[in-house]
Amino acid sequence: MNLFDVYPLYNVTPVKAKGCYIYDENDIEYLDLYGGHGVISVGHSHPDYIAKLKAQLDKIGFYSNAIQNPLQIKLADKLGKVSGCPEYNLFLCNSGAEANENALKLASFHTGKTRIISFRNSFHGRTSAAVAATDNPKINAPINKQQIVTFLELNDADAVEKELKKGDVCAIIIEGIQGVGGLDQGTTAFFKTLESLCEKQDIILILDEIQSGYGRTGKFFAFQHHGIKPDIITIAKGMGNGFPIGGVLIAKKLKASYGLLGTTFGGNHLACTAAISVLEIIEKENLIENVNEVSDYFLSEMKQFSQIKRRKGKGFMAGVEFDFEVGDLRKQLIYDHHIFTGGAMNKNLLRILPPLTIKKEHIDTFVSALKEILN
Ligand SMILES: Cc1ncc(COP(=O)(O)O)c(C=O)c1O
């Protein structure tokens, strides 16, 4: 059987990983400034994480959501404390798209309405409603067109207000900072307007923190830079440090009932163990402070390159926009300098999404490589 060929692949075969490094089959070391697309939060192969997962596997790895699972309660409690959002309820699932799919369904259940407001260049995943709310016609199949979604410009508060007046909107979905789209973000004034419009009209404000959450931007959630409280927060990527898990944080006004949402695998024993361990490590190693400190250093170091026109994002949801397309630069970084970086829809943007354990010396390695390539 062949693989369904949907991914253009770099010719690198990682066989092990440790901290901020990946190693291929010839033991060549690669610096990971991409984190497997913003997934690796506490570093590859963290010893505490491995020990916890191994110990859990020896006890029980999975049973269905028909039984008591105290690990889910422990995870919800820990997540509430570490994120500063203890007042939400938690629904556990398996991926980012699934988290958004459930969030949009909840908004529609709650309001009885169908239309979604989303934003230009947004990415929310590849399942039914999530992909319909994603501003990329190429990944929307004809079947996805049945969802009713209106795309507006980011930061156009007047347009949002006008659309909400029509009375058929169930949810506004917005990324804390746009990921795939290229690190654009709402202003504080815009986020606050969304919050107050949604509150007044009982429309559900969904913050997609799948990429921007878990400390990546220098606060646990990116929306916390703006002093708002969304109705629903969706999480995935950094949550399990590579173990597949997603979650939906749901404000108390959205009521649960048996059977409203469900999943076979979501919240299983191994996934919860991975997610609890990630939160413990984030706390114990002060990783959010580390993000703030090292990302400041990164930004100041990037100033020396005249080819960089703009520095975008926050913390280590970071990007540098060059005055040329970065496809070749990324290849040179991987093949000649053994450094992984990310791209975006904006072809001039290089995205930096390293493990949150990154140190200044890793930035120095990147700076030396850029100097060799650009000067
Ligand atoms: C902001 C955002 N939302 C949703 C998703 C979808 O997550 P997943 O690939 O886990 O379904 C992604 C993935 O890149 C994302 O960046």
Side-chain angles (χ1 to χ4, degrees), residues 37 95-98 100 123-125 175 179-180 208 210-211 236-237:
H37 205 71
S95 71
E98 197 186 342
N100 283 336
F123 185 90
H124 297 294
E175 287 156 270
V180 179
D208 179 340
I210 285 159
Q211 192 167 142
K237 293 191 186 294

Side-chain angles (χ1 to χ4, degrees), residues 203-215:
I203 291 161
I204 301 303
L205 178 59
I206 302 170
L207 250 294
D208 179 340
E209 294 276 354
I210 285 159
Q211 192 167 142
S212 56
Y214 268 77

Side-chain angles (χ1 to χ4, degrees), residues 10-131:
Y10 286 110
N11 192 18
V12 179
T13 310
V15 293
K16 63 178 187 191
K18 182 98 196 124
C20 290
Y21 293 100
I22 292 165
Y23 300 85
D24 73 9
E25 73 275 45
N26 300 314
D27 219 23
I28 293 177
E29 182 179 86
Y30 291 81
L31 175 61
D32 185 10
L33 298 186
Y34 178 56
H37 205 71
V39 166
I40 301 301
S41 45
V42 299
H44 294 279
S45 311
H46 193 291
D48 295 354
Y49 173 88
I50 292 174
K52 287 244 158 69
L53 274 171
K54 281 183 173 164
Q56 185 60 47
L57 196 51
D58 281 338
K59 289 192 245 166
I60 178 171
F62 169 83
Y63 204 76
S64 86
N65 278 310
I67 43 81
Q68 301 286 340
N69 182 348
L71 289 169
Q72 292 188 357
I73 296 163
K74 187 172 173 190
L75 170 56
D77 183 57
K78 187 90 194 154
L79 177 57
K81 286 193 182 115
V82 178
S83 69
C85 294
E87 70 277 30
Y88 290 77
N89 291 322
L90 176 65
F91 176 74
L92 289 164
C93 56
N94 310 284
S95 71
E98 197 186 342
N100 283 336
E101 199 69 33
N102 280 300
L104 290 164
K105 278 178 72 174
L106 276 177
S108 184
F109 277 133
H110 176 80
T111 59
K113 294 177 182 168
T114 48
R115 190 158 64 105
I116 301 163
I117 300 292
S118 184
F119 295 94
R120 287 276 161 234
N121 278 334
S122 57
F123 185 90
H124 297 294
R126 291 172 182 267
T127 56
S128 167
V131 80

Side-chain angles (χ1 to χ4, degrees), residues 204-274:
I204 301 303
L205 178 59
I206 302 170
L207 250 294
D208 179 340
E209 294 276 354
I210 285 159
Q211 192 167 142
S212 56
Y214 268 77
R216 185 154 289 286
T217 73
K219 290 200 184 279
F220 194 89
F221 289 125
F223 72 76
Q224 290 167 331
H225 292 283
H226 306 293
I228 61 157
K229 282 273 173 192
D231 300 306
I232 296 183
I233 306 158
T234 53
I235 53 179
K237 293 191 186 294
M239 188 177 183
N241 199 46
F243 200 102
I245 181 168
V248 190
L249 279 66
I250 304 159
K252 292 266 158 62
K253 74 173 179 186
L254 290 129
K255 299 290 172 224
S257 60
Y258 291 155
L260 188 73
L261 305 179
T263 153
T264 299
F265 297 120
N268 68 69
H269 299 73
L270 275 182
C272 286
T273 301

